[in-house]
Amino acid sequence: MIPRCIIITGASRGLGAALARQWASPDVLLGLIGRDALALAEVAAACEAKGATTRIALIDVRDADALAALVLGWDDAVPVDLVVANAGITSGTRPDGALEGHQAATQVLAVNLQGAVNLVEPLLPRLLARRAGRVALVASVAAFRGLPDSPAYCASKAGLWAYGESLRALLGPRGVGVTNIAPGFFDSAMSRRFQGSHPFKLTGEAAAARIVAAIARDAGRSIFPRRMGFSLRLLELLPAGLADRAARLFRFKVTEG
Ligand SMILES: NC(=O)c1ccc[n+]([C@@H]2O[C@H](COP(=O)([O-])OP(=O)(O)OC[C@H]3O[C@@H](n4cnc5c(N)ncnc54)[C@H](OP(=O)(O)O)[C@@H]3O)[C@@H](O)[C@H]2O)c1
């Protein structure tokens, strides 16, 4: 699929900004969503320098009504080909050993899981009516196995992964594609908050390139690095005690955002 009208949440930096820059070309209209006006304007300028048309919206993905009104208005103007739920935050065990706590855990679920649902659901009836378009959900390899230091993040990504797998089975026969994305570590403001090892870490641009290529070939899943996704998926097949021992090899601390 070559998308022409693309909406991306979390487009102000990191992976979302890299995706926007890589899709930017003269035929493409990019709807860029985030909360940092200055950063979004810089990403938009870089995309326009490559010939793309852009529009920006400052919206918190937790605000379901505002997000629905925005994306339906954009879809009225130009039908959306691709919607990418990328906005995300993280939390976890702090450097002093404190647990993430109720407030942080709740926010992670609200942004990463509910925020994606807030983005996608309003558009689904339109995509189904047109029998066209694609939904892309940025989960994580952390979707495949709960890691000891980031319970809410893993839960949010496991929920998002399950949501995407369900949607793909539901919508595929009706002409709407779904790409479920599970990256391992890539360099960004988020991953720089993780104190610990970052195995097989990619640059943000390399991660974005894999996603752009997966969507271009209408892939249902994009999991990278594959060996990391495979290892974490394998843990689910082990007895709980053994799986927990292996999961404890992935220990880290998460600094304040
Ligand atoms: N980095 C990694 O190693 C890694 C690995 C696997 C998966 N991921 C996933 O990849 C996605 C992108 O991560 P990243 O590393 O690029 O993170 P990042 O650099 O921290 O960027 C996060 C983006 O999400 C936006 N955002 C956060 N909260 C928001 C909210 N409430 N409403 C609207 N936008 C919000 C931020 O924009 P504003 O600040 O402007 O709102 C920003 O553009 C996330 O879903 C993350 O979980 C990352």
Side-chain angles (χ1 to χ4, degrees):
M1 171 202 202
I2 302 176
R4 297 288 177 220
C5 178
I6 306 171
I7 295 178
I8 308 171
T9 61
S12 57
R13 60 170 191 264
L15 182 64
L19 286 170
R21 288 190 296 266
Q22 290 191 24
W23 272 314
S25 73
D27 292 336
V28 169
L29 170 57
L30 290 161
L32 307 174
I33 300 174
R35 296 166 305 168
D36 181 334
L38 210 59
L40 273 178
E42 280 175 20
V43 175
C47 294
E48 284 175 12
K50 295 178 77 178
T53 305
T54 64
R55 45 196 179 187
I56 286 176
L58 301 178
I59 287 189
D60 189 315
V61 293
R62 290 169 293 183
D63 187 341
D65 292 341
L67 196 53
L70 174 81
V71 297
L72 292 178
W74 278 356
D75 190 69
D76 284 339
V78 181
V80 173
D81 294 313
L82 171 65
V83 57
V84 185
N86 165 73
I89 57 173
T90 193
S91 71
T93 307
R94 308 220 181 93
D96 65 3
L99 300 178
E100 60 187 341
H102 179 267
Q103 194 187 355
T106 304
Q107 291 312 314
V108 164
L109 290 164
V111 174
N112 295 5
L113 181 54
Q114 187 62 55
V117 173
N118 292 345
L119 173 75
V120 169
E121 286 294 329
L123 285 169
L124 291 184
R126 305 272 185 104
L127 301 182
L128 283 171
R130 297 198 287 267
R131 296 187 67 83
R134 177 164 293 272
V135 173
L137 304 172
V138 181
S140 164
V141 291
F144 302 141
R145 158 70 214 197
L147 300 174
D149 291 304
S150 56
Y153 183 79
C154 293
S156 71
K157 296 303 186 180
L160 188 58
W161 186 263
Y163 177 66
E165 293 289 297
S166 299
L167 280 186
R168 196 179 57 247
L170 174 71
L171 305 179
R174 300 170 67 184
V176 178
V178 175
T179 303
N180 231 358
I181 300 158
F185 281 113
F186 56 83
D187 187 43
S188 73
M190 180 185 287
S191 64
R192 276 173 237 136
R193 291 178 54 207
F194 281 75
Q195 293 180 346
S197 71
H198 295 184
F200 315 121
K201 190 172 185 176
L202 298 174
T203 64
E205 292 296 332
R210 290 183 188 221
I211 294 168
V212 168
I215 288 173
R217 60 174 190 274
D218 296 330
R221 293 182 183 140
S222 172
I223 303 172
F224 55 89
R226 292 201 70 79
R227 56 194 150 168
M228 199 166 175
F230 183 71
S231 317
L232 288 169
R233 290 179 119 179
L234 216 53
L235 293 189
E236 278 305 285
L237 303 177
L238 297 178
L242 205 57
D244 291 350
R245 280 226 297 279
R248 283 188 213 105
L249 297 173
F250 298 87
R251 298 306 302 261
F252 46 77
K253 301 283 182 281
V254 182
T255 61
E256 290 295 321

